[in-house]
Amino acid sequence: MHDDDFRARLRAFLVEHHPGRRPKDRTERLAWQKAWLAKLFDAGYAGPSWPREYGGMDLSFARQVIYQEEYAKARVPGPLGTGLGIAAPTLVKYGTAEQKERYLRPMLRGDAVWAQGYSEPDAGSDLPALRTTARREGDEYIVNGQKVWTSSGDIADVLFTLVRTGTPASRQHGISYLLVDAHAPGVTVRPLRDLTGDAHFCEIFFTDVRVPVADRVGEENGGWPLVRTSLGHERAAGAMNQAARYRRVLDELIELAHERGATADPLVRARLADFEMRVRIMRYTGMRTIADILARGEPGPASSTSRLFVVTFEQDLHEFAVDLLGPYGMLGRDDPHAVQRGRWVWGFLRTRASTIGAGTAEIQRNTIAEQLLGLPRDPAMPPSSR
């Protein structure tokens, strides 16, 4: 099949089966999204980069780009949780045959939602300082501790979690990677309300939670290489999807500027031109990230470049949108006079956290400086960190 035919077929499927408007009710929205992901999987349109043996499409580089562009244009629901882009590649590389068979298909179909349990109150950017412990008793680990800033933690079924199985002084050499049942006795999840009024993050407490040793990925105390794989994919995840999504968002922002008569202002036109160039750069950077993954099996340190570029762009774009709205830029989603149901204001508030997640912007800059440019290590950083 020619690439143009593939694009046309995919577009036709997304239009024909579009699930309609997103429900406001949180429970209904979760069911709506799960039903969409199941339909996508059953039709063979899920997991563009995944191996076919786990239900994916195993697309070529060119078709992954086409897939992400059409998916973003269609405005259909995205994946649930953080498992697809982060845990799945780690499981494919390090998991046992039983773990892959048990977990990957339900994750891709949306039957099981995954969330990441890495950050702790005193171990965010410095992950080797984590203190959640896992003590082995026979065929089980007993897990105690706390995680925080867990996206989708309140709807998760599985938590891919870093735990300390060595001594505190062992730092990254005493960390293991466990898959924890989010509904197991002893797991408590508390949503954290943020600036938008929503609760995107959660804190999670483990009190004597029993986890089978069979749900450890990789060797005991050998979780650090898995962390690097996960973080690399987290920073690269959706690189092309983000570029395609912001292509659409920028077009909508340009339309808004026209509607408000702002495009007569040369300064506004200059800012829009700047965003246009950055969206195009984002697309090419995303293509490079996918090419790296296909060539090396991992995104590598260049994923930090993609991550830093996207998060600074989306903050700048939403700041500009709010400026463009003038006084209306103070009205949130619940205000009847809000422009476009307050979407730009919500985006402005939501993207404040962008330069913190998946490693702060400072961590990304250090990675770029040290691993891509070969500059000396930042003396302020601990011996090993994100």
Side-chain angles (χ1 to χ4, degrees):
M1 188 193 316
H2 192 275
D3 287 347
D4 290 341
D5 295 329
F6 172 74
R7 184 187 290 275
R9 285 192 184 188
L10 175 61
R11 182 182 299 172
F13 175 85
L14 296 173
V15 170
E16 181 181 352
H17 297 280
H18 195 288
R21 196 163 187 168
R22 168 180 159 159
K24 285 187 177 179
D25 179 80
R26 187 173 176 81
T27 303
E28 292 179 9
R29 190 163 63 241
L30 179 60
W32 168 81
Q33 195 161 355
K34 283 192 169 189
W36 166 252
L37 294 174
K39 181 174 290 185
L40 205 64
F41 179 92
D42 294 344
Y45 281 119
S49 62
W50 279 44
R52 287 189 181 277
E53 62 185 302
Y54 306 124
M57 300 173 74
D58 199 17
L59 294 179
S60 66
F61 170 78
R63 292 201 175 177
Q64 286 190 43
V65 173
I66 292 171
Y67 182 96
Q68 297 297 353
E69 290 178 342
E70 291 301 320
Y71 201 94
K73 285 180 187 173
R75 304 192 73 154
V76 289
L80 278 165
T82 52
L84 288 185
I86 307 172
T90 308
L91 209 53
V92 167
K93 182 171 182 178
Y94 295 101
T96 63
E98 190 276 336
Q99 289 170 339
K100 295 174 188 175
E101 184 63 30
R102 179 181 174 193
Y103 287 117
L104 287 174
R105 284 176 177 268
M107 185 199 303
L108 185 56
R109 196 174 185 274
D111 296 331
V113 180
W114 285 48
Q116 183 189 77
Y118 283 9
S119 295
E120 298 184 5
D122 295 317
S125 294
D126 184 21
L127 271 183
L130 66 86
R131 293 186 295 187
T132 294
T133 60
R135 173 174 47 84
R136 185 163 178 170
E137 284 188 4
D139 293 332
E140 292 181 320
Y141 287 104
I142 312 300
V143 179
N144 285 280
Q146 179 189 356
K147 298 293 178 178
V148 72
W149 308 127
T150 304
S151 301
S152 305
D154 54 337
I155 59 171
D157 301 297
V158 180
L159 304 166
F160 51 106
T161 308
L162 299 179
V163 294
R164 180 156 302 287
T165 43
T167 64
S170 60
R171 288 184 61 83
Q172 71 268 28
H173 302 297
I175 289 175
S176 298
Y177 195 105
L178 293 188
L179 306 181
V180 181
D181 178 355
H183 308 296
V187 177
T188 303
V189 180
R190 295 178 183 167
L192 295 169
R193 200 160 297 282
D194 58 38
L195 278 173
T196 65
D198 297 332
H200 295 94
F201 308 105
C202 298
E203 56 182 349
I204 299 179
F205 299 86
F206 302 104
T207 305
D208 293 331
V209 178
R210 292 184 173 271
V211 179
V213 171
D215 282 338
R216 186 191 70 225
V217 184
E219 299 296 321
E220 183 171 289
N221 295 329
W224 193 246
L226 283 70
V227 175
R228 290 194 173 278
T229 297
S230 283
L231 289 175
H233 282 282
E234 181 176 13
R235 291 161 188 167
M240 273 309 304
N241 179 274
Q242 290 278 33
R245 184 167 74 88
Y246 275 114
R247 170 71 273 161
R248 171 174 55 77
V249 172
L250 178 57
D251 288 342
E252 293 166 350
L253 179 62
I254 293 171
E255 186 178 338
L256 177 69
H258 278 301
E259 289 174 357
R260 303 188 70 79
T263 48
D265 185 338
L267 295 178
V268 169
R269 292 202 302 273
R271 289 298 306 277
L272 292 175
D274 174 62
F275 290 134
E276 176 66 37
M277 286 189 292
R278 291 165 72 178
V279 163
R280 295 187 185 197
I281 292 171
M282 196 187 302
R283 182 172 186 266
Y284 295 131
T285 305
M287 293 169 73
R288 186 177 64 180
T289 301
I290 292 178
D292 280 352
I293 293 172
L294 291 175
R296 304 155 40 122
E298 293 193 2
S303 62
S304 288
T305 308
S306 287
R307 176 73 186 174
L308 184 62
F309 193 88
V310 170
V311 297
T312 52
F313 170 84
E314 64 184 9
Q315 286 188 346
D316 291 346
L317 181 136
H318 284 96
E319 286 174 8
F320 174 76
V322 170
D323 285 344
L324 196 63
L325 293 174
Y328 289 93
M330 299 178 67
L331 304 181
R333 287 185 298 179
D334 296 331
D335 193 293
H337 302 291
V339 175
Q340 296 182 357
R341 303 172 68 194
R343 60 169 289 194
W344 300 106
V345 179
W346 186 90
F348 170 81
L349 296 173
R350 180 71 181 87
T351 55
R352 296 306 91 189
S354 298
T355 43
I356 299 174
T360 65
E362 289 75 14
I363 292 293
Q364 313 300 347
R365 291 189 177 99
N366 273 349
T367 300
I368 293 167
E370 295 166 12
Q371 298 186 34
L372 293 178
L373 303 179
L375 297 177
R377 183 172 177 77
D378 182 353
M381 294 299 295
S384 180
S385 64
R386 285 189 174 194

